[in-house]
Every structure is written in structure tokens, then in C-alpha cells.
Amino acid sequence: MQSRPEVESGDASARDPPGLPDLAADRLFNGSTAASRFLRAELELNARLRTLTFGKPVRYTYNPLEYAWDTHRCYVEKYCQEGQSVLFLGMNPGPFGMAQTGVPFGEVKAVRGWLQITGAVGRPPEEHPKRRIAGLECTQSEVSGARFWGFFRELCGETHNFFRHCFVHNLCPLIFMSESGKNLTPPELAAAERDALLSCCDGALCQAVGALGVSMVIGVGRLAEQRARRALAGAGLDVRVEGIMHPSPRNPLANKGWAAVARDKLDRLGVLALLTSAG
């Protein structure tokens, strides 16, 4: 298994992530770029999440910010930039998206093709036999990620046209599965475990939003929108929170034309004009 990055909670410079070259570690912990600030916040979240335990219905828990740190860091360092004003926020990884690639909504073809992400992907300590991690070699497509990144590829053409204004993140980096391999969302966890998890993730979101300096967070799906609204208001952050429909195939409305609905909402929010403007 690939070494996992570690950091003491509350002190991002306390420990270098094993496996990072000295130069890369120094740039991460001492850098002042948006990407380095963002990655430090994620490492601190990882440290807090390791203190949590999950009982039934959860049987397997994967954290791609550990075993897929290499590809995740590639994504952040490549696309997390100063001056971005909009953060698209998903809830947590899908089994054939971020769980495989370390990239939010990270359907493999989009990650390898449009986003041009490279790197090694390891494996979680314990895998469900039906939910193996194949990394960038995964042949299963995740509909939500294909719809999400496919929409922005068609809209923006080049990645630069999207990422000069926007970044994409998940509130929670963990994916949960039952004994049968069924994907479980955070609301399906036991109440005390869910609350402890989301408390950690809400705090990390506020830290990430502060590090990025965005002025708008767009929740992808109602749950992500609600959590963002609650967390940011509670922290006193003056950030506009909006939402768009989730592109999941479990959503009948999304199956009837998610791209058209998303385009209309982004137009009303003024984001469409940002993404289609020249220069």
C-alpha cells in the first residue's frame, strides 16, 4: 500500500508526508500559494478523520486523500489557483469517481483525458471484493462525474477557461460501503458518527474557503448546499452559497437533461458569463 500523508491536527508543518520528495514537501508546508494552503487544510482534515470510527451499517471506509494522494495533489497543484471566485462543492466520493482517481467527480476518462491528471494510486487498507481500486486503469465509468466534467468541457473547451474562475472540491473525502458493497452516503451513518464526521468536514470546508478566498460556493446537490450554508454562516464567513442539481443517475430529473438545468442555473447565478467570456 502506498504511504499515506500525515500531519498533526492543527499544525500543518509538524510532519512531512511520507513519500513526498524533500523539495515537494518543503513547497507544500512552507508555500503560500492557494494550492499549498488548500493541501495543508486537507492534511489536517485527514489527521482528524483518523480519530473517527464507524459502525453498522458501515463495513468499509476508503479515504482517497490517503491512497490516491499522488493524483489528488497533481489535481490541486495544477488547478487550484489564486483569483478563483467560485467553488463547486460535492458531498463525498463515488465508487468509480474520486474513489479511483483522487479527483472530485473524477470519472476516469475525464481525469485522464480533459484534466490530464497523472500519478500513482495505491489501495485502502481493506477493500470490498466488489469495490477494488484500480486507479487510473479503472474501466468503469461513473455517470455523475462523466456528466459533470463533460458539461464543463463542452462549455469551456480548454481547462484554463474553467479553472481560471472555478475549483471543485468535496465536503467529505471518505467513501463508505456496507457489507454488501452498497455505497452509503453520510446521512445514512449512525447519527453520532455522522455528526462527528460532518463537524470535522464543516470545519475543514471553512478553512479551505478561507485559503482559496472564493466569493461563492455552489453545492452540487441539496445536501452539499445545505452543509455549506450552515458551516460558512456559523463561521461568520461572508460567502454566497447556492446550489445546482446533482448529476446522479439516481436522480430522475437529472436523467431528463441535467446539462440544460445546470446551464440555466449557472446563467442565473452569473457563472455562465464568467465561463464563456473571452480573455
Side-chain angles (χ1 to χ4, degrees), residues 12-237:
S13 62
R15 186 179 304 171
D16 288 353
L20 278 181
D22 291 343
L23 182 60
D26 181 71
R27 185 173 68 249
L28 171 57
F29 290 122
N30 298 310
S32 59
T33 65
S36 61
R37 294 194 300 267
F38 188 84
L39 289 169
R40 286 197 296 268
E42 291 192 306
L43 289 175
E44 291 178 3
L45 175 60
N46 269 359
R48 291 190 287 271
L49 292 178
R50 287 187 208 112
T51 69
L52 304 181
T53 57
F54 303 94
K56 292 183 178 179
V58 176
R59 173 62 181 82
Y60 298 86
T61 304
Y62 296 4
N63 185 354
L65 294 192
E66 293 190 334
Y67 63 83
W69 177 256
D70 199 22
T71 48
H72 180 75
R73 191 179 83 241
C74 176
Y75 163 72
V76 174
E77 291 186 337
K78 191 169 188 174
Y79 293 120
C80 184
Q81 307 165 10
E82 306 289 343
Q84 291 168 321
S85 58
V86 179
L87 178 68
F88 285 93
L89 184 73
M91 189 62 205
N92 73 311
F96 303 110
M98 185 174 177
Q100 299 291 337
T101 65
V103 176
F105 294 94
E107 193 263 351
V108 176
K109 288 183 180 179
V111 168
R112 294 181 63 177
W114 195 50
L115 298 178
Q116 295 286 295
I117 299 302
T118 60
V121 176
R123 289 182 171 179
E126 187 178 13
E127 292 179 277
H128 191 285
K130 295 180 181 179
R131 292 288 183 264
R132 300 290 188 188
I133 297 302
L136 299 181
E137 302 305 316
C138 178
T139 58
Q140 179 78 36
S141 177
E142 182 155 280
V143 174
S144 294
R147 283 176 175 169
F148 182 86
W149 288 117
F151 169 74
F152 287 112
R153 181 175 187 170
E154 182 175 347
L155 182 67
C156 300
E158 300 295 328
T159 55
H160 165 76
N161 295 328
F162 176 78
F163 287 105
R164 62 179 171 165
H165 300 294
C166 304
F167 192 61
V168 183
H169 178 49
N170 273 334
L171 176 69
C172 173
L174 303 183
I175 178 171
F176 304 97
M177 283 162 278
S178 68
E179 184 73 44
S180 68
K182 177 189 175 184
N183 185 40
L184 300 170
T185 61
E188 296 174 274
L189 307 184
E193 295 172 358
R194 177 196 65 221
D195 292 345
L197 168 71
L198 292 179
S199 177
C200 290
C201 295
D202 286 352
L205 172 64
C206 294
Q207 188 177 358
V209 166
L212 296 175
V214 297
S215 57
M216 182 187 296
V217 173
I218 300 178
V220 184
R222 189 175 301 276
L223 182 57
E225 178 187 354
Q226 290 173 343
R227 292 304 307 189
R229 194 180 303 279
R230 175 180 175 180
L232 297 174
L237 293 174

